[in-house]
Amino acid sequence: MSALRILVPVKRVIDYAVKPRVNKAQTGVETAGVKHSMNPFDELSIEESVRIREKKRAPGGVEDICAISAGPAKSVDILRTAMAMGADRAIHVETADGDEGALEPLTVAKMLRAVVDKEKSNLVILGKQSIDDDAAQTGQMLAGLLGWPQATQASRVEFKGDSIEVTKEVDGGVETVRAKLPMVITTDLRLNEPRYASLPNIMKAKKKPLVKMSLSDLGVANERKLKIIKVTEPAPRQGGGKVEDVDGMISKLKELGAL
Amino acid sequence: MFAAARRTALRGAISLPRSASAFTGPFSRSALQRLLSSLAILEQREGKLNHGSLSAITAAKSIGGPIHGFIAGSNIKSVAEEAAKVEGVEKIIAVDNAAYEKGLPENFASLVVENIKKGGYTHIIAGHTAFGKNLMPRVAALLDSQQISDITAIESENTFVRPIYAGNAIATVESSDSIKIITIRGTAFPAAEIQGGSATVEDGVDPKSEASAEWVSEDLAKSDRPDLATAGKVVSGGRGLKSKEDFDKIMQPFADSIGAAIGASRAAVDSGYADNSLQVGQTGKVVAPQLYMAVGISGAIQHLAGMKDSKVIAAINKDPDAPIFQVADVGLVGDLFEKVPELTEKLKST
């Protein structure tokens, strides 16, 4: 197996613990002044890449781990986090702040295809979905555009000879598939537990190389095929209050027709 | 040729100003409907039709135009004939080839694409299941279409509603793609019933492209209980259950007492109390049963994203301030190790 050149796309999203609020104009959610972090599934991608190197799991070794993010200037923060976790270097594809800079998954996949060509990547590890638009598309789209095999929702990645065996979370259990490099893997929660970046590593990450580019440098246009008509709050649920005991619960459930 | 002409005509119809659009005038509406056609991607496993995947046909019905179903795998004939009995379906396209049995996207996607091109469909619909999520974005990329994921409603042939931010916001989006690739949330579209229909079954085109990945094995949890995603009642346990032994000891008799499926919060899954396939939430399954009973679950937003469309929510938790009580129709503050067995006994005797 040739040495791995791993590309890890990461996305800056509203922190998972924050409850998003729809903006007044009903065009999106409020992002100003809201805490942002790296998409949780992307942390797993970085962690897995670093572990493959640390544990010497790949027969050919790991030559390079490159993190990439497309987004506004602040996306640099999460690229630094990725490097503090162990990525060697980073690419920031800068886009406009706010909704006008947002990219659809197909555009991101096209951008990543261009980067894969440029960086000679042979393994791309992405999160299975981002927790903002919940689309769960980019990895599969990239694999389709490249014509590479894909293993989605990975909970275990194992190197066997010149193949990679990936155990995937599917409905009702797990499934294992095998493919040869180059390939695309998307991560699921059970894959690993991401490390915290230590202070010395955060300091070191500041010196690691970070290259800036734009979508047009990669020959990709921000084409929008989905137009957001409106964004609304979901209909609120009214709590029905509490009952005193088990009998109260049973009679209330019967009253509501649930039993 | 015909297919291409059809798509061009449709694009023309869509680009009309809204006031003159197909959905406001009775004449243009019928004219447009003739141009629409949907392909519902159906799932099967070892010769059995996945009835949940018939939700795609229900969704296709609200788009209008003829509906075809697509199915592929080994010895697909009987599965195709079963699907042909669904009312409103004109044709089932079946591809009988063992190479597609495991639904590997590397060859299944090109298979679907070839059949889309042949049929000239405007809408391709599949469930937002592990299979649909794996396959459809690859299909979309091959057709240069921006997929619309996990929709919960169809407003018109090009406008769809989908939850974002773990269901904390609902987005209405309009697609300008000529071929719309859509995955649907199963709980939002009931599965079409297998009766009253008499679709023809036809062989699809088979490009016989090689799969660059290979299926190795699978390990599926076996259960006699109703399927979590489609159950009418779900009882779900969280971190409050404390151990796998307690989880099984408390939750299984409780589920059996009302014929419910068992679910779990991410905390319970991460702690090893329950299998990952039982996880309800943003990163697990989305359920919308008649009754959802949350036991020892605090109600984090990621969990609520997976169950807040349930008809009736009941909660048992010892913390009176747990967020789950803000959405529960019926709440009981108390120790689950006392309350759930008591509830189980009383429900069994009624």
Side-chain angles (χ1 to χ4, degrees):
Chain A
M1 181 184 274
S2 46
L4 292 178
R5 293 185 56 82
I6 310 176
L7 185 69
V8 188
V10 296
K11 186 176 186 184
R12 178 177 176 268
V13 298
I14 291 182
D15 189 86
Y16 75 95
V18 173
K19 187 175 160 62
R21 303 269 171 214
V22 172
N23 65 20
K24 282 210 178 67
Q26 296 201 326
T27 55
V29 305
E30 286 291 352
T31 53
V34 175
K35 185 187 176 197
H36 284 66
S37 315
M38 189 190 301
N39 181 41
F41 296 103
D42 303 344
E43 292 185 351
L44 297 155
S45 314
I46 294 280
E47 178 66 33
E48 193 66 14
S49 311
V50 176
R51 284 190 193 188
I52 291 169
R53 167 148 61 200
E54 286 175 348
K55 303 250 158 73
K56 302 189 173 17
R57 279 157 51 191
V62 176
E63 189 179 306
D64 178 52
I65 301 173
C66 177
I68 178 169
S69 191
K74 282 181 178 160
S75 306
V76 166
D77 297 351
I78 65 155
L79 287 170
R80 291 285 171 206
T81 306
M83 289 190 284
M85 289 174 73
D88 301 314
R89 59 196 180 100
I91 299 171
H92 178 212
V93 181
E94 190 163 350
T95 62
D97 209 350
D99 292 334
E100 67 275 19
L103 308 179
E104 291 176 354
L106 185 59
T107 310
V108 175
K110 287 176 181 174
M111 174 198 88
L112 292 173
R113 172 177 59 179
V115 174
V116 162
D117 287 345
K118 206 168 138 76
E119 301 294 333
K120 309 261 180 296
S121 315
N122 54 12
L123 179 63
V124 186
I125 308 181
L126 310 88
K128 73 164 178 182
Q129 72 188 68
S130 65
I131 60 165
D132 50 2
D133 75 353
D134 287 331
Q137 298 172 2
T138 308
Q140 298 89 308
M141 286 180 157
L142 175 64
L145 293 176
L146 290 165
W148 290 7
Q150 67 186 52
T152 51
Q153 299 188 224
S155 60
R156 195 180 57 105
V157 175
E158 218 177 318
F159 292 80
K160 286 201 170 164
D162 63 347
S163 300
I164 306 181
E165 258 186 32
V166 181
T167 300
K168 311 164 49 199
E169 301 285 339
V170 295
D171 300 333
V174 295
E175 177 186 76
T176 302
V177 295
R178 179 163 48 211
K180 289 192 173 115
L181 288 178
M183 81 178 295
V184 172
I185 296 173
T186 74
T187 61
D188 209 336
L189 282 171
R190 282 214 296 187
L191 183 60
N192 59 47
E193 215 163 298
R195 69 195 62 193
Y196 289 101
S198 68
L199 190 59
N201 285 340
I202 292 172
M203 299 313 287
K204 273 185 219 157
K206 291 186 177 163
K207 299 203 180 85
K208 289 185 177 178
L210 188 146
V211 175
K212 269 197 193 306
M213 49 179 84
S214 67
L215 274 184
S216 55
D217 293 340
L218 294 162
V220 178
N222 186 7
E223 193 188 352
R224 300 290 192 86
K225 297 170 164 225
L226 294 184
K227 186 172 146 203
I228 295 179
I229 307 289
K230 65 175 179 203
V231 175
T232 55
E233 298 269 356
R237 249 197 116 96
Q238 288 295 324
K242 291 172 186 146
V243 292
E244 286 302 313
D245 53 20
V246 165
D247 292 323
M249 176 167 259
I250 292 174
S251 56
K252 187 75 190 287
L253 289 177
K254 283 191 173 148
E255 192 185 306
L256 292 168
L259 279 182
Chain B
M1 263 315 274
F2 176 64
R6 234 159 101 142
R7 276 203 296 279
T8 315
L10 179 64
R11 215 172 288 138
I14 293 169
S15 63
L16 288 172
R18 194 130 191 100
S19 59
S21 96
F23 288 89
T24 49
F27 298 107
S28 49
R29 184 184 172 98
S30 58
L32 180 59
Q33 272 185 342
R34 279 203 307 274
L35 302 167
L36 297 170
S37 62
S38 297
L39 185 67
I41 311 291
L42 306 178
E43 297 180 35
Q44 64 92 28
R45 166 178 292 280
E46 288 162 5
K48 282 206 183 101
L49 179 65
N50 175 342
H51 291 188
S53 70
L54 299 174
S55 293
I57 293 174
T58 308
K61 281 181 185 166
S62 58
I63 285 166
I67 301 166
H68 294 180
F70 181 84
I71 195 137
S74 311
N75 300 319
I76 210 71
K77 197 157 179 275
S78 64
V79 182
E81 278 165 4
E82 189 185 2
K85 295 193 188 106
V86 174
E87 198 187 343
V89 178
E90 205 172 83
K91 192 192 288 179
I92 298 291
I93 296 168
V95 175
D96 196 330
N97 182 342
Y100 304 119
E101 177 63 19
K102 299 299 182 185
L104 291 168
E106 291 81 5
N107 60 356
F108 211 110
S110 19
L111 169 72
V112 172
V113 167
E114 288 310 310
N115 283 282
I116 293 168
K117 285 183 178 161
K118 187 185 173 210
Y121 304 101
T122 56
H123 293 73
I124 320 302
I125 308 171
H128 196 65
T129 57
F131 171 81
K133 279 192 271 190
N134 199 17
L135 170 74
M136 295 291 268
R138 195 167 174 119
V139 171
L142 295 176
L143 293 167
D144 197 32
S145 175
Q146 174 51 57
Q147 180 181 321
I148 312 130
S149 287
D150 200 22
I151 66 163
T152 52
I154 295 171
E155 288 205 342
S156 75
E157 59 92 10
N158 61 358
T159 310
F160 309 93
V161 179
R162 59 181 301 265
I164 53 175
Y165 289 93
N168 281 293
I170 308 296
T172 305
V173 296
E174 187 182 274
S175 165
S176 58
D177 278 315
S178 54
I179 304 178
K180 292 165 185 66
I181 309 291
I182 299 162
T183 60
I184 56 163
R185 180 169 288 198
T187 55
F189 299 90
E193 284 186 43
I194 305 177
Q195 57 173 29
S198 55
T200 55
V201 176
E202 193 176 279
D203 287 340
V205 281
D206 185 353
K208 294 199 169 68
S209 51
E210 290 275 318
S212 48
E214 179 188 350
W215 185 89
V216 177
S217 63
E218 68 189 1
D219 182 11
L220 302 180
K222 288 182 182 61
S223 170
D224 298 332
R225 292 200 181 76
D227 176 52
L228 177 59
T230 53
K233 293 182 182 116
V234 173
V235 299
S236 213
R239 204 199 298 275
L241 268 308
K242 296 211 169 74
S243 72
K244 176 165 174 31
E245 290 68 42
D246 285 331
F247 191 97
D248 292 345
K249 197 176 79 195
I250 300 273
M251 299 304 288
Q252 287 181 4
F254 181 37
D256 293 340
S257 72
I258 52 171
I262 296 181
S265 70
R266 186 179 161 198
V269 169
D270 282 353
S271 309
Y273 305 171
D275 190 80
N276 192 63
S277 61
L278 301 186
Q279 186 183 319
V280 173
Q282 183 186 19
T283 58
K285 289 221 164 52
V286 176
V287 300
Q290 284 289 317
L291 171 63
Y292 187 87
M293 183 87 82
V295 175
I297 292 176
S298 64
I301 55 174
Q302 293 83 2
H303 186 75
L304 299 182
M307 45 66 85
K308 65 185 165 54
D309 293 327
S310 305
K311 188 108 192 302
V312 173
I313 297 173
I316 300 178
N317 204 300
K318 67 178 178 199
D319 175 9
D321 299 321
I324 190 78
F325 288 123
Q326 290 163 23
V327 299
D329 301 286
V330 192
L332 177 59
V333 179
D335 180 359
L336 68 92
F337 290 98
E338 278 172 33
K339 302 296 179 190
V340 177
E342 186 187 342
L343 193 56
T344 305
E345 279 313 306
K346 287 185 171 158
L347 288 170
K348 254 199 276 184
S349 56
T350 53

